[in-house]
Amino acid sequence: MPLLRIENVDKYYGSKGNITKALNHVSFEVEKGEFLGIMGSSGSGKTTLLNAIATIHRVTAGHIYLEGADITQLKNKELAKFRMEKLGFVFQDFNLLDNFTLEENIGLALTIKGVPKEAVYNKVITAAEQLGIRDALSKMPSEVSGGQRQRCACARAIINKPSLLLADEPTGALDSHSAQMLLESFKSLNRDRAATILMVTHDVFSASYCSRILFLKDGMIFTEIRRGDKTRREFFQEILDVVTLMGGKDSHDN
Ligand SMILES: Nc1ncnc2c1ncn2[C@@H]1O[C@H](COP(=O)(O)OP(=O)(O)OP(=O)(O)O)[C@@H](O)[C@H]1O
Ligand SMILES: [Mg+2]
C-alpha cells in the first residue's frame, strides 16, 4: 500500500461566474520513503496541492488517502491528531509567531504536546544546529534575516521527526550554502528515518536532491521523472530539460 494516494482531486476557488480550477483531476501515489519534488510555474497549483494534503484546505472533489485512511474525511479532533503526530509543514511564507523567539517557535509543537522543557530544549538545539541557526535562537523573527526565518520554519517542521514532511519552497530565500545544508538535512531525514518528503521548489538544484519530480501545469500533472540510478548532475540536466520544455524560466527564477 502506498503511503499517500491522491485520487481525482479537484480544488476550485471562488464561486459561480468566477471560478479558478486550481487542481483539476490530480491523481498520483507516493511510496513511503520517497523524496518527491513538485515543480511547475507560478499559479500551477503547487501550494494548493500541498495544503490539501496537509488538510489545511478541503478539496472540492476526490480523495486523499494516508496509510489507507481517507484524510479528506477527518473531523476536528482526528485532524488535529493527524497534523500533530504525522505531519511537518514548512509554509511558503514561513508562518512563524512574531511574539516568540526562534527557540520558542521551533519547540512550540512539543511544548503544546507536554514534552518536558529540557527534552524540548535538547531537540531544539539539535535541529537548530543541523540548520545552522543556533546563534540566533534567542532572537525574535523580526530580528533575523529571511533566510534564518526560513531555516527556523524548517527546524520547527523536522523537530518532531514527522513521517510526512511537506515543504513549500523551503530553499526559496536561502543562499546556496544554507540551501545545501537544508537539503542535506532533508536527505538524512529521508534516508535515516525513512521520512517521506514532498517538496515544492522552483529551483532545479534543490529539485535534483529528489528521487522523483512531479510537474504541474494549470492544475494538472504534466509529467513526472525519476532519478533512478542517475547521478545528481545527470538528473539536474534532465529536470532542466523538462522545465525548459514546459515554458522555460518563470517568475520565481532569478
Ligand atoms: N485563496 C485563493 N482564492 C482564490 N484563488 C486562489 C487562492 N489561492 C490560490 N488561488 C489560485 O489558484 C491557482 C493555484 O494557486 P497556487 O497558490 O496553488 O499556485 P502555486 O503553484 O503555489 O504558485 P506559486 O509558485 O506562485 O506559489 C492560481 O491561479 C491562484 O491564483
Ligand atoms: Mg505556492
Side-chain angles (χ1 to χ4, degrees):
M1 184 170 53
L3 179 85
L4 196 62
R5 185 150 60 92
I6 317 294
E7 203 177 83
N8 282 322
V9 164
D10 289 336
K11 174 67 186 181
Y12 301 167
Y13 292 109
S15 52
K16 262 192 195 147
N18 187 21
I19 286 182
T20 305
K21 289 190 176 183
L23 295 175
N24 199 349
H25 276 56
V26 171
S27 296
F28 64 97
E29 293 184 350
V30 184
E31 299 298 329
K32 184 174 160 53
E34 269 197 274
F35 187 173
L36 181 74
I38 299 167
M39 300 188 85
S41 57
S42 183
S44 59
K46 304 178 300 295
T47 296
T48 303
L49 176 62
L50 233 53
N51 285 345
I53 297 169
T55 65
I56 290 166
H57 286 157
R58 293 254 173 222
V59 298
T60 307
H63 298 275
I64 300 175
Y65 299 93
L66 182 82
E67 291 166 346
D70 189 351
I71 58 174
T72 61
Q73 304 298 319
L74 294 180
K75 296 288 182 300
N76 302 342
K77 228 174 137 182
E78 299 164 321
L79 265 182
K81 195 167 136 81
F82 161 70
R83 291 187 191 139
M84 181 82 91
E85 289 178 0
K86 306 261 177 176
L87 202 66
F89 202 115
V90 183
F91 295 89
Q92 193 165 9
D93 58 3
F94 317 152
N95 236 8
L96 299 176
L97 301 174
D98 294 334
N99 299 321
F100 290 85
T101 65
L102 299 201
E103 180 180 334
E104 289 161 340
N105 265 287
I106 296 170
L108 194 66
L110 298 176
T111 307
I112 291 172
K113 236 176 156 180
V115 175
K117 246 184 176 173
E118 201 183 310
V120 174
Y121 180 76
N122 289 335
K123 286 175 191 232
V124 169
I125 294 292
T126 307
E129 260 168 7
Q130 222 174 353
L131 292 165
I133 48 166
R134 187 171 174 166
D135 293 344
L137 281 179
S138 60
K139 296 191 173 163
M140 304 303 247
S142 61
E143 298 170 331
V144 301
S145 71
Q148 287 170 320
R149 280 198 286 278
Q150 191 152 34
R151 281 182 274 161
C152 177
C154 291
R156 182 185 55 185
I158 64 174
I159 194 168
N160 231 354
K161 307 262 161 40
S163 53
L164 181 60
L165 177 63
L166 305 175
D168 200 347
E169 290 199 51
T171 58
L174 301 183
D175 62 63
S176 60
H177 176 68
S178 309
Q180 203 157 352
M181 274 201 311
L182 176 69
L183 291 163
E184 289 295 336
S185 64
F186 277 17
K187 201 170 97 179
S188 66
L189 196 67
N190 174 246
R191 191 187 47 210
D192 306 337
R193 309 224 157 239
T196 308
I197 303 176
L198 272 64
M199 177 175 77
V200 169
T201 184
H202 286 275
D203 174 44
V204 178
F205 175 75
S206 299
S208 69
Y209 273 77
C210 298
S211 51
R212 175 164 63 120
I213 317 275
L214 218 57
F215 293 88
L216 288 186
K217 186 169 189 170
D218 303 328
M220 291 183 279
I221 294 178
F222 178 76
T223 190
E224 68 165 57
I225 57 174
R226 285 173 193 275
R227 177 160 165 191
D229 296 330
K230 278 163 256 172
T231 64
R232 188 149 81 227
R233 186 185 281 263
E234 289 166 340
F235 196 39
F236 178 95
Q237 191 55 51
E238 194 180 349
I239 299 165
L240 198 57
D241 290 345
V242 179
V243 169
T244 308
L245 175 75
M246 286 178 72
K249 290 173 99 58
D250 64 40
S251 58
H252 281 251
D253 287 333
N254 296 314

